[in-house]
Coordinates of all heavy atoms in Angstrom, one line a residue:
T194 N 137.5 135.9 96.9 CA 136.8 136.2 95.7 C 136.9 134.9 94.6 O 136.4 134.9 93.7 CB 137.3 137.4 94.9 OG1 138.7 137.2 94.7 CG2 137.0 138.6 95.8
H195 N 137.9 134.0 95.1 CA 138.1 132.9 94.2 C 138.7 131.8 95.1 O 139.1 132.0 96.3 CB 139.0 133.1 93.0 CG 140.2 133.9 93.2 ND1 141.2 134.2 92.2 CD2 140.8 134.4 94.4 CE1 142.2 134.9 92.9 NE2 141.9 134.9 94.2
S197 N 141.6 130.3 94.4 CA 143.0 130.4 94.2 C 143.8 130.4 95.5 O 145.0 129.9 95.4 CB 143.4 131.4 93.2 OG 142.7 131.1 91.9
Q200 N 145.5 127.4 96.5 CA 146.8 127.1 95.9 C 148.0 127.4 96.7 O 148.9 126.7 97.0 CB 147.0 127.8 94.5 CG 146.1 127.4 93.3 CD 146.5 128.3 92.1 OE1 147.7 128.4 91.9 NE2 145.6 128.5 91.2
R221 N 131.5 137.5 95.7 CA 131.8 138.7 94.9 C 130.6 139.7 95.1 O 129.5 139.3 95.2 CB 132.0 138.4 93.4 CG 133.3 137.8 93.3 CD 133.8 137.6 91.9 NE 134.8 136.6 91.9 CZ 135.3 136.1 90.6 NH1 135.0 136.5 89.4 NH2 136.4 135.2 90.7
Q235 N 133.5 127.4 93.4 CA 134.5 127.1 92.3 C 135.1 125.8 92.8 O 135.1 125.4 94.0 CB 135.5 128.2 92.4 CG 135.1 129.5 91.7 CD 136.1 130.5 91.6 OE1 137.1 130.4 92.4 NE2 136.1 131.5 90.7
E237 N 139.1 124.6 92.2 CA 140.4 125.0 91.7 C 141.2 123.7 91.3 O 141.0 122.8 92.2 CB 141.1 125.8 92.9 CG 142.2 126.5 92.6 CD 142.0 127.9 92.0 OE1 140.9 128.4 91.9 OE2 143.0 128.5 91.4
F275 N 145.6 136.2 83.8 CA 145.4 136.1 85.2 C 146.8 136.5 85.8 O 147.8 136.0 85.2 CB 144.9 134.6 85.7 CG 143.6 134.3 85.2 CD1 143.6 133.5 84.1 CD2 142.4 134.8 85.6 CE1 142.3 133.0 83.5 CE2 141.1 134.4 85.1 CZ 141.2 133.6 84.1
F277 N 148.4 135.3 88.2 CA 149.1 134.3 88.9 C 149.4 133.1 87.8 O 149.9 131.9 88.2 CB 148.4 133.7 90.0 CG 146.8 133.5 89.8 CD1 146.3 132.4 89.4 CD2 146.0 134.7 90.0 CE1 144.9 132.3 89.2 CE2 144.7 134.5 89.8 CZ 144.1 133.4 89.5
T278 N 149.0 133.2 86.6 CA 149.4 132.2 85.5 C 150.0 132.9 84.3 O 149.5 134.0 83.9 CB 148.1 131.4 85.2 OG1 147.0 132.2 84.8 CG2 147.8 130.4 86.2
G315 N 139.0 129.3 83.6 CA 140.2 130.0 83.4 C 141.3 129.1 83.8 O 141.2 128.3 84.7
C316 N 142.5 129.1 83.2 CA 143.6 128.3 83.6 C 144.9 128.9 83.1 O 144.9 130.0 82.4 CB 143.5 126.9 82.9 SG 143.5 127.0 81.0
G317 N 146.0 128.3 83.4 CA 147.3 128.8 82.8 C 148.5 128.0 83.5 O 148.3 127.2 84.4
A338 N 147.5 125.6 86.7 CA 146.4 125.7 87.6 C 145.2 126.1 86.7 O 145.2 126.5 85.6 CB 146.6 126.8 88.6
F339 N 144.0 125.7 87.4 CA 142.6 126.1 86.6 C 141.6 126.3 87.8 O 141.7 126.0 88.8 CB 142.3 125.0 85.8 CG 142.1 123.6 86.4 CD1 141.0 123.2 87.1 CD2 143.2 122.7 86.4 CE1 140.8 122.0 87.6 CE2 143.1 121.5 87.0 CZ 141.9 121.1 87.6
G340 N 140.6 127.1 87.3 CA 139.5 127.4 88.2 C 138.2 127.3 87.5 O 138.2 128.0 86.5
Ligands
LIG401 N1 140.8 132.2 90.1 C1 140.4 132.7 88.7 C2 139.0 133.3 88.8 O1 138.3 133.1 89.8 C3 140.3 131.3 88.0 C4 141.7 130.7 87.7 C5 142.1 129.8 88.5 C6 142.5 131.0 86.5 C7 143.5 129.1 88.3 C8 143.6 130.5 86.4 C9 144.1 129.5 87.2 O2 138.6 133.9 87.9

Side-chain angles (χ1 to χ4, degrees):
T194 57
H195 51 180
S197 301
Q200 288 186 34
R221 287 187 197 172
Q235 290 187 332
E237 190 85 10
F275 299 101
F277 42 96
T278 47
C316 67
F339 56 85

